[in-house]
Amino acid sequence: MKKMGHCVAVAALLTFTSVNGFAQTAGVDCAKPHQPIERAICANGALRALDARAGAYYSMLLEAKPAVESGPYREFRESLQADEQKWQHETRDACGAQVSCLMGAYQHHIDDLRTNASEHLTLSASAADASTQEPAGPLIDYKDATYRIGTQDVTLLGGQHTAPAASDSSAQDVTRVVEPPEHAGGKLGGRAAVAVFLSAEGGGSGTFYYAAVVFADGRGTTFQIGDRIQPVGIAINGDDLVVSYLDRKPDEPMVVPPTVPRERHFAFMNGQIVERPAAQAAAK
C-alpha cells in the first residue's frame, strides 16, 4: 500500500481502539447472519468482539479524511478494500466454523490493520478539540502486576513469576501470562481493565489456566478455567468477560488433545470474577 498524506481526525476516532467502541463497526451483522461463517462468528462472544475490533480499525483507515483527496489516498483506499475482500474470502472463510482457526485469522488481521493504521495515519486533533477531550485512561501493565490466585497473591515481573514448589524440592512453580490469544482491554464494574489468560504449572503434570483481569492500580483477580485446556480467546464485551477455549469430553483422558469448543461468560462483582448462569449468559 502507498502511504497517504497526513490525516486530521477528531479525537473520538481514538476510541476505536477501545473494545466498548467496536460494536458500531462490526464487519458481521449478527442481527441477520446469512452465511454459515457469519453464524459461527455470531455464536461466539470472543469472535464477535474480534470481528468488531477488526471492523473498527478497517473503518478508521477507510473513513479518515486527508486534507486533500489526492491520487495516492484514493489508491490507498482502493487497495485497502481489495485487501479486506481478499482476507475475508481466502483466509477467514477458509476456516469454516473452526473457532481456533477463526481466532488466529482475526488476530493476525487485526495486527496487520493496526500496523497499517500506525504507518499510514497521522491522527491529530485541533486545538479546540484538544481543549475539550477527556484525558486518556491509565495505561495498565498487565505483565507487571499482582494477581490473586486462590488464596495467594502472585506478582508477575515481565509476565512471569517463578518460585520453589516446596522448601525441600528443586521443582518450580511457574505462573505466566499466556499470549496468544491477545489480551483484551475494556471496562468491568465501571473500571478500566485488561483481561488475559494466565497459566500455572508446578512439579506435577498439570497446567492450570485462569481467566484474569487487572486494573490500573496493578492488582487483579483470577478464575480457574481448567487443566490443560487450549485457550482460544478472551474479550471484554460490555459488562461481560467472555472466555473461549477448547476442552475435552467428560470421559476423555488428559492425554487427548482438547478439541471441544466452550464459551463462558463472567462478571466482575465485589472484587471477584463471578461466572454468569448459563441462561443469563445466553441472553447476552
Side-chain angles (χ1 to χ4, degrees):
M1 289 186 185
K2 294 184 178 181
K3 286 189 177 182
M4 67 177 179
H6 290 296
C7 298
V8 178
V10 295
L13 272 175
L14 297 177
T15 61
F16 279 122
T17 58
S18 165
V19 172
N20 289 337
F22 293 150
Q24 301 304 316
T25 53
V28 175
D29 182 1
C30 288
K32 45 183 178 182
H34 299 297
Q35 304 300 324
I37 185 71
E38 294 177 340
R39 291 194 287 272
I41 292 167
C42 293
N44 185 293
L47 281 175
R48 289 196 304 273
L50 286 174
D51 179 73
R53 187 174 189 178
Y57 278 113
Y58 177 70
S59 294
M60 182 171 64
L61 283 160
L62 190 66
E63 296 174 8
K65 304 300 181 185
V68 178
E69 280 273 339
S70 61
Y73 173 71
R74 288 194 296 273
E75 292 174 15
F76 170 83
R77 186 165 53 190
E78 290 168 1
S79 178
L80 181 70
Q81 291 171 322
D83 287 349
E84 181 72 11
Q85 292 179 357
K86 181 178 180 181
W87 174 80
Q88 287 183 358
H89 294 309
E90 297 184 6
T91 302
R92 186 196 70 179
D93 294 357
C95 288
Q98 299 179 56
V99 174
S100 59
C101 178
L102 285 167
M103 285 287 183
Y106 269 107
Q107 286 160 359
H108 287 302
H109 189 47
I110 288 168
D111 287 343
D112 290 342
L113 289 169
R114 186 163 47 198
T115 298
N116 282 339
S118 64
E119 289 180 352
H120 296 285
L121 298 181
T122 302
L123 297 178
S124 61
S126 68
D129 292 330
S131 65
T132 58
Q133 86 180 66
E134 296 181 1
L139 296 176
I140 299 175
D141 190 351
Y142 61 95
K143 291 186 177 180
D144 293 318
T146 298
Y147 295 87
R148 189 73 172 176
I149 301 179
T151 60
Q152 294 184 327
D153 285 337
V154 177
T155 299
L156 305 187
L157 295 175
Q160 183 168 309
H161 172 86
T162 302
S167 58
D168 58 348
S169 172
S170 61
Q172 300 284 308
D173 286 333
V174 181
T175 304
R176 59 168 59 94
V177 170
V178 178
E179 285 183 310
E182 186 180 2
H183 64 279
K187 283 190 175 182
L188 284 174
R191 300 168 62 191
V194 166
V196 69
F197 275 105
L198 299 181
S199 68
E201 53 188 318
S205 58
T207 299
F208 293 92
Y209 289 85
Y210 298 82
V213 293
V214 61
F215 300 93
D217 61 2
R219 298 192 64 84
T221 188
T222 63
F223 189 99
Q224 184 173 308
I225 300 299
D227 181 13
R228 282 165 281 183
I229 61 163
Q230 176 60 58
V232 173
I234 191 164
I236 297 175
N237 188 10
D239 289 328
D240 269 11
L241 173 65
V242 185
V243 176
S244 298
Y245 59 97
L246 300 180
D247 202 352
R248 297 167 188 80
K249 296 177 182 178
D251 58 345
E252 288 183 326
M254 284 295 181
V255 295
V256 176
T259 58
V260 180
R262 303 207 187 282
E263 178 179 308
R264 294 163 72 180
H265 292 237
F266 300 87
F268 181 75
M269 300 175 61
N270 300 321
Q272 294 182 321
I273 299 174
V274 180
E275 186 161 16
R276 294 188 184 276
Q280 185 176 357
K284 285 284 181 180

